């Protein structure tokens, strides 16, 4: 039975990945800061799908937590889903530098180190997959969050190119607005976001798994967001900044 390690699996996109992979027969390793909620999620997945679900409480924003997960990944996983992340309600440069550097540790350093920890085993077995959850924000300018997600996209494509093995898939997943707890946890005002822009987490994961199977290196779920990203390439950066700055605050 293959093993998948998912960071941030207690809600939203991470929980949707956990459900999908459990249904596909994966044993799960679930990583989150919230040990109580993590245990509840694991129990529900075991009961519903009859799979093994290992609980690994860890804060990827700390060296101790990241090192713990890094060591577990190095033991061997078939699929790594780097999903953990968060946003800021404030604007740059108003957000405290400690919060900004924590974001970079979770969004960038953790993705880098966990990917590097997973690859030796995948290369030895000549198979494996890594999904790094980024965002449509990666293609626009929207503070440190979009900058960190742009790094995730570039890193994923670069890593896939350097590994150069079609049996080891590395993909950046770039969803748009998804109905999860993400914005509420960050105290973001989402009243200005039109209803038609919202996606469902299960739909995002379904498209992500399809694109991963097809060997895509960047997945942008939903035709609406594919069109937004394509059109964005022709919109002046100043206009992009004004539009993106008015959403999700």
């Amino acid at each position: 039975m293959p093993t998948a390690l998912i960071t941030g699996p207690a809600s939203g996109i991470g929980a949707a990945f956990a459900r999908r992979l459990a249904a596909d027969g994966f044993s799960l390793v679930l990583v989150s800061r919230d040990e109580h909620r993590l245990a509840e999620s694991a129990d529900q997945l075991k009961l519903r799908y009859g799979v093994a679900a290992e609980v690994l409480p860890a804060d990827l924003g700390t060296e101790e937590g990241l090192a713990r997960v890094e060591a577990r990944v190095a033991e061997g996983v078939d699929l790594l889903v780097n999903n953990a992340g968060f946003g800021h309600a404030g604007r740059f440069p108003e957000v405290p530098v400690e919060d900004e550097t924590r974001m970079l540790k979770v969004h960038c350093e953790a993705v880098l180190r966990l990917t590097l920890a997973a690859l030796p085993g995948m290369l030895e077995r000549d198979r494996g997959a890594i999904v790094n959850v980024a965002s449509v924000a990666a293609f626009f300018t929207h503070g440190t969050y979009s900058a960190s997600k742009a790094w995730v996209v570039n890193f994923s494509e670069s890593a896939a190119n350097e590994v150069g093995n079609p049996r080891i898939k590395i993909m950046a997943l770039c969803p748009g607005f998804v109905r999860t707890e993400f914005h509420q946890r960050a105290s973001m005002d989402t009243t200005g976001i039109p209803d038609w822009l919202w996606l469902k987490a299960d739909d995002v994961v379904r498209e992500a798994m399809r694109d991963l199977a097809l060997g895509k290196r960047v997945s942008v779920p939903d035709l609406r967001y594919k069109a937004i990203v394509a059109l964005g390439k022709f919109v002046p950066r100043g206009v992009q900044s004004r539009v993106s700055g008015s959403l999700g605050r």
Side-chain angles (χ1 to χ4, degrees):
M1 185 175 291
T3 299
L5 185 144
I6 308 167
T7 65
S11 64
I13 294 174
F17 264 112
R19 290 190 297 270
R20 168 60 188 264
L21 295 174
D24 287 347
F26 279 80
S27 294
L28 303 177
V29 182
L30 307 176
V31 179
S32 174
R33 291 187 300 167
D34 191 335
E35 184 172 0
H36 176 71
R37 195 171 183 187
L38 197 59
E40 286 185 341
S41 298
D43 288 342
Q44 291 170 4
L45 290 164
K46 291 175 188 175
L47 182 64
R48 181 174 180 181
Y49 299 102
V51 298
E54 177 185 340
V55 170
L56 180 55
D59 183 352
L60 295 177
T62 67
E63 180 57 32
E64 178 186 2
L66 179 51
R68 186 182 306 127
V69 181
E70 192 176 27
R72 177 59 186 86
V73 171
E75 293 177 13
V77 296
D78 299 283
L79 172 59
L80 169 64
V81 181
N82 282 312
N83 168 73
F86 61 94
H88 296 314
R91 293 179 179 274
F92 182 85
E94 299 167 358
V95 177
V97 67
E98 295 83 4
D99 294 342
E100 295 282 34
T101 55
R102 177 180 172 81
M103 175 176 283
L104 292 177
K105 191 171 188 72
V106 174
H107 290 186
C108 301
E109 184 179 345
V111 170
L112 169 67
R113 288 173 57 177
L114 297 186
T115 297
L116 286 171
L119 281 174
M122 292 180 179
L123 289 166
E124 183 178 345
R125 294 187 300 275
D126 194 34
R127 69 179 188 278
I130 300 170
V131 177
N132 296 323
V133 179
S135 169
V136 161
F139 305 106
F140 302 93
T141 54
H142 198 56
T144 310
Y145 179 82
S146 69
S148 69
K149 293 304 186 180
W151 182 90
V152 172
V153 174
N154 193 305
F155 167 73
S156 300
E157 291 187 278
S158 299
N161 185 60
E162 291 294 318
V163 170
N165 184 338
R167 290 175 58 83
I168 299 174
K169 299 177 171 65
I170 304 175
M171 184 183 80
L173 172 60
C174 302
F177 292 111
V178 184
R179 292 205 180 276
T180 67
E181 300 174 0
F182 177 88
H183 298 91
Q184 288 77 13
R185 289 202 309 268
S187 301
M188 293 180 178
D189 179 10
T190 60
T191 55
I193 301 173
D195 287 341
W196 63 271
L197 280 177
W198 289 100
L199 305 177
K200 295 179 181 178
D202 289 320
D203 294 339
V204 168
V205 170
R206 184 176 62 253
E207 290 203 40
M209 294 303 292
R210 181 199 63 194
D211 287 346
L212 186 67
L214 291 172
K216 292 188 178 182
R217 294 181 177 181
V218 178
S219 171
V220 180
D222 195 88
L223 288 173
R224 288 166 287 182
Y225 281 101
K226 286 180 172 64
I228 288 170
V229 171
L231 290 172
K233 296 176 181 179
F234 302 99
V235 176
R237 299 294 282 182
V239 176
Q240 285 187 21
S241 299
R242 287 194 295 274
V243 174
S244 63
S246 67
L247 296 174
R249 289 292 183 186

